[in-house]
Amino acid sequence: MLPLALRKRHHWKVVRLLVLNDVLAILLATTVAVAAVNPAEPVPPLGWVLVTLFFTLVLFAIQRLYERDRRNISVSTLDEVRDILTSLGLVGFATFSLALGFDAGGILPPHPLSVVFFWLAGIVLIPCGRAALRHRVIPFSTDSQRTLVVGAGRVGQAIVRKIRKNPQYNVEVIGFLDDDPAVLDPDVADVPVLGAEKDLVETIVGQNISRVVLAFSRSTHEDVLEVVRNAGLRDVHISIVPRYFDIIAANVGIADVEGISVLELPVAGLSRLARATKRGFDLVITVPSLILLSPLLLAIAAAIKLETRGPALFRQARTGRGDEQFEILKFRTMVVGAEQMRDDLLGENESRGPLFKIRDDPRVTRVGLMLRRTSLDELPQLLNVLRGQMSLVGPRPFVTYEDDKIDGWARRRLDITPGMTGLWQVLGRNDIDYDEMVKLDYLYVTNWSLWWDTKLLLRTVPVVFKRRGY
C-alpha cells in the first residue's frame, strides 16, 4: 500500500498546480482589467492585486475547488464555473467594501470598470487554465488513481470503458473483483479479474489501490464500506454506481429523511416557464449566430453546387416534440437520390436497433465528407431552431421510419423539443448505440436545466474539433 504521506504528497501536488494556475490567471486578469480602462498605465495597484488574490483563493478554498480532484473520480471544469463566477463576484464587492470602509486608497481598484473587466477576464482565464491542467499536465505529471472495480458485469465493464475514454480523469483501472465474473467484452478483456469480493482488503493493500468503484457487486454497499473501515484503510475513496443509474443525472436532488439520503428524480418534461426560458436561450444564441455565419453558409452552399448537381440543402421528415413531424434542414452531403439507394445498403448497416449507419457510406461526396467530419452540415438546423421546430440542445430527432420502431418508455424523449446537439453528441456521436442513445435522451428530458444546456453546448465544440465518434 502506498504510504499515507505519499498519497497526501500526490494530493498536494495537484492542489499546488491548481493554486499556481489560479494565481497566474488572477494576476493576468487584474492586468487586463487595468489595461482595458487605462492602456497608458497597465500596471495594477499592488494593494488591489494582493487583496484580490487573498480573497479569491480563500473563497475558492471555501467552495472546495481544491478538494474535488482528490474526492471525485472525475472532475468537470465546467461544473466549477458557477462557483468561480460567485467567488469573483464576491471578490469585487469585497475589495470595494474594504477600501471604502478603511479609506485605504492603495487597495481600491483604479476605476469601477476595472472590477467588471477583472470579472470578465477571470471567468475566462481561470476555467481555461484549469481545463488545460487537467487535460495536459496533471495526467502526465502526477500519479493516476489506481482503481479497483467491484463487479465485473455489464455495469462494471461499462464503467471501465467510459473511464478509458477520458484520460483527463487520471484514473487507471487495475482490475475487477467478482465472485462469479461474466465473460468480459473484447474491449475490456485485458482488465484482469483479481479475485472474489471477499479479497477486497487484500487486493487494496497488495495492488496499492486508492479508489474502489462499486458497480452492482453482489455484496451490499454497507458490507463493503464496513470491511474497508474495519481494515483501517485510510484515504481509500469509494465511488458507488446507484441502482437507478440509467435515470440519474449529476444534478439530481438529494433529500434527507431522518438520516436516510433519498434521491429526488424530477418528472419528465418541462413546465411552461422552463419551455419559455429554453426558447429564449435558443433565440439569444441562434439569431446572432445566423447573422455571423451567413458568409460561411453561402460558401458551403456554393461548394456543394460546384461539386454535384442538385440542391445545396437536404430536407428530411423527422419526428419532433409531441410526435409532430417537421422537415429538418442539412447541407446535402450525399449524391442526389441517396435515399432511394438506402434499401440496397441495408445489409451493411453497422448500427443495432432501428438506426441506419454506415461509417464509410459510398453515397457521401467529397465535400460532404468534409462537412460531416466538421459537423458543418448541421448548421442549417439553426433555421429549424429559429422556427421553433428544434432547440440548440435536446434529444436527437429520428427519421420518421426509425421513430416508428421506438416504443415504451423511450418515447418519453419526445416530451421535449429535439436538439442540434445533446448528450449523445457530447459523449460519442456514432460510437453510441441505439440503446444507450435513448437512455441518454431520457436522462436529458428528466433532468433538464438551463445550466446543463450551456455545458452541453460548450462541450460540443471540442468534441467536433476532435472528430470524436465520427
Side-chain angles (χ1 to χ4, degrees), residues 413-430:
R413 64 193 303 280
L414 299 175
D415 290 344
I416 200 169
T417 305
M420 290 181 62
T421 187
L423 277 173
W424 65 273
Q425 175 89 5
V426 168
L427 298 181
R429 299 177 71 184
N430 292 333

Side-chain angles (χ1 to χ4, degrees), residues 2 18 55 152 176 207 233 250 386 467:
L2 285 173
L18 291 173
F55 275 113
F176 293 105
Q207 296 291 333
L233 298 174
L386 193 63
R467 299 180 183 179

Side-chain angles (χ1 to χ4, degrees), residues 89-212:
L90 291 173
V91 166
F93 174 78
T95 53
F96 270 120
S97 300
L98 190 62
L100 294 175
F102 290 92
D103 194 25
I107 63 173
L108 186 68
H111 192 279
L113 281 178
S114 299
V115 176
V116 177
F117 284 114
F118 165 74
W119 185 79
L120 292 173
I123 63 175
V124 174
L125 295 172
I126 295 173
C128 286
R130 283 176 161 248
L133 270 180
R134 290 180 175 128
H135 283 78
R136 302 297 180 188
V137 179
I138 291 177
F140 306 104
S141 62
T142 62
D143 297 326
S144 58
Q145 299 182 63
R146 292 176 61 83
T147 300
L148 181 68
V149 179
V150 181
R154 178 178 63 89
V155 177
Q157 294 182 47
I159 285 289
V160 173
R161 279 193 290 269
K162 291 178 183 295
I163 287 174
R164 287 180 160 186
K165 286 169 63 177
N166 294 277
Q168 71 273 16
Y169 292 171
N170 200 23
V171 172
E172 179 186 4
V173 178
I174 303 303
F176 293 105
L177 286 186
D178 201 305
D179 293 336
D180 185 20
V183 177
L184 299 180
D185 291 339
D187 53 349
V188 296
D190 58 318
V191 180
V193 178
L194 300 175
E197 294 180 19
K198 64 180 177 60
D199 303 319
L200 177 61
V201 173
E202 179 183 343
T203 306
I204 290 175
V205 174
Q207 296 291 333
N208 298 331
I209 300 299
S210 57
R211 181 174 296 276
V212 175

Side-chain angles (χ1 to χ4, degrees), residues 254-257 259-263:
I254 300 179
D256 178 80
V257 180
I260 298 177
S261 296
V262 178
L263 297 176

Side-chain angles (χ1 to χ4, degrees), residues 338-385:
E339 283 292 287
Q340 289 71 36
M341 301 166 58
R342 177 178 178 274
D343 291 340
D344 298 332
L345 298 170
L346 287 176
E348 300 180 36
N349 186 18
E350 300 172 2
S351 174
R352 294 183 295 179
L355 304 185
F356 179 75
K357 297 178 185 175
I358 302 177
R359 191 173 295 272
D360 297 317
D361 198 317
R363 301 171 296 171
V364 178
T365 64
R366 286 178 298 175
V367 172
L369 183 62
M370 182 273 295
L371 294 177
R372 286 189 170 198
R373 286 178 173 173
T374 56
S375 294
L376 292 176
D377 61 317
E378 310 280 352
L379 288 180
Q381 291 168 37
L382 289 170
L383 294 173
N384 291 117
V385 176

